[in-house]
């Protein structure tokens, strides 16, 4: 098989960074400048500041992680005879060997499409994660969705269906 490289889309990454920045600014507005409204809980200063600061922290953190991808000069996904290398998100899964992939499924979470790789050794992928936050994220994927590996094409130079077809075709060749 000829190696297939799917690059990270710099323009999509810039869009995601912009979206993160927008939500950080919205968090600042909620925490400090939001007007009084007719809903009592929304007028509670502690509630507003909490929501605002949570938005700033969460989307600011996501923006930083996304920005790191912008400056990486690595592929997003690489598919070859060994397996699938996933470097598409801040959770660098690394090599997923063909013999470890039981099936490939489509899933949708909050209107975002994912390619779920069902593997026979999920704990190995959890153990690869050195950062506690990424480890928890991978554990959550396993517990909630049945696999630690969820691949999105949001930041890649490929359409979802096209990547799904390539992956399933290559897996079927090896069964």
């Amino acid at each position: 098989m000829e190696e297939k490289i799917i690059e990270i889309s710099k323009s999509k990454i810039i869009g995601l960074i912009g979206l993160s920045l927008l939500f950080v600014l919205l968090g600042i507005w909620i925490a400090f400048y939001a007007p009084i409204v007719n809903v009592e809980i929304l007028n509670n200063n502690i509630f507003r500041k909490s929501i605002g600061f949570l938005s700033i922290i969460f989307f600011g953190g996501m923006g930083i992680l996304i920005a790191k991808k912008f400056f990486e000069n690595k592929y997003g996904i690489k598919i070859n005879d060994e397996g699938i290398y996933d470097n598409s998100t801040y959770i660098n899964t690394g090599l997923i060997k063909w013999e470890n992939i039981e099936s490939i499924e489509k899933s949708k979470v909050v209107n975002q499409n994912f390619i779920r790789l069902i593997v026979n050794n999920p704990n190995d992928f959890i153990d690869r994660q050195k950062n506690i936050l990424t480890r928890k994220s991978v554990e959550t994927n396993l517990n909630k969705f049945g696999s630690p590996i969820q691949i999105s094409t949001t930041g890649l130079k490929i359409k979802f269906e096209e990547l799904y077809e390539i992956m399933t075709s290559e897996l079927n060749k090896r069964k």
Side-chain angles (χ1 to χ4, degrees):
M1 162 195 183
E2 184 180 316
E3 186 170 77
K4 177 82 174 158
I5 303 280
I6 293 102
E7 295 179 14
I8 292 174
S9 172
K10 300 290 185 180
S11 59
K12 287 182 179 179
I13 296 294
I14 289 171
L16 291 171
I17 293 168
L19 197 58
S20 293
L21 181 60
L22 180 67
F23 278 102
V24 167
L25 293 173
L26 183 63
I28 292 169
W29 180 77
I30 290 170
F32 299 107
Y33 304 108
I36 303 299
V37 292
N38 290 334
V39 181
E40 189 173 327
I41 186 117
L42 297 179
N43 291 326
N44 181 310
N45 200 33
I46 294 171
F47 178 78
R48 285 191 341 191
K49 289 202 182 295
S50 297
I51 295 296
F53 286 127
L54 285 173
S55 177
I56 294 164
I57 291 167
F58 178 77
F59 290 106
M62 291 305 294
I64 290 167
L65 292 173
I66 293 167
K68 284 183 178 182
K69 278 289 167 205
F70 182 83
F71 294 105
E72 277 186 7
N73 287 324
K74 289 180 84 176
Y75 57 85
I77 300 282
K78 180 166 63 171
I79 303 170
N80 62 24
D81 286 331
E82 288 182 278
I84 300 169
Y85 290 81
D86 178 21
N87 184 45
S88 60
T89 64
Y90 68 93
I91 300 173
N92 292 328
T93 307
L95 174 63
I96 307 142
K97 293 182 179 180
W98 292 118
E99 61 260 24
N100 296 130
I101 302 173
E102 293 180 357
S103 65
I104 299 175
E105 303 173 351
K106 295 178 186 178
S107 66
K108 192 174 233 175
V109 180
V110 193
N111 291 326
Q112 183 171 352
N113 291 317
F114 288 92
I115 297 171
R116 178 184 307 136
L117 302 182
I118 305 299
V119 292
N120 56 19
N121 59 342
N123 290 325
D124 290 351
F125 294 96
I126 293 169
D127 293 340
R128 288 183 189 182
Q129 302 305 318
K130 304 302 177 211
N131 180 305
I132 188 81
L133 294 176
T134 56
R135 178 183 292 260
K136 287 293 178 198
S137 184
V138 172
E139 286 173 351
T140 299
N141 281 345
L142 177 60
N143 294 332
K144 207 168 188 188
F145 306 112
S147 174
I149 306 164
Q150 306 281 340
I151 299 173
S152 168
T153 57
T154 302
L156 299 173
K157 287 184 178 179
I158 193 167
K159 290 184 173 23
F160 175 81
E161 288 296 330
E162 185 180 350
L163 181 59
Y164 176 78
E165 290 302 320
I166 291 169
M167 288 180 171
T168 54
S169 172
E170 289 301 322
L171 179 62
N172 289 336
K173 288 178 188 176
R174 290 160 173 80
K175 284 194 167 190

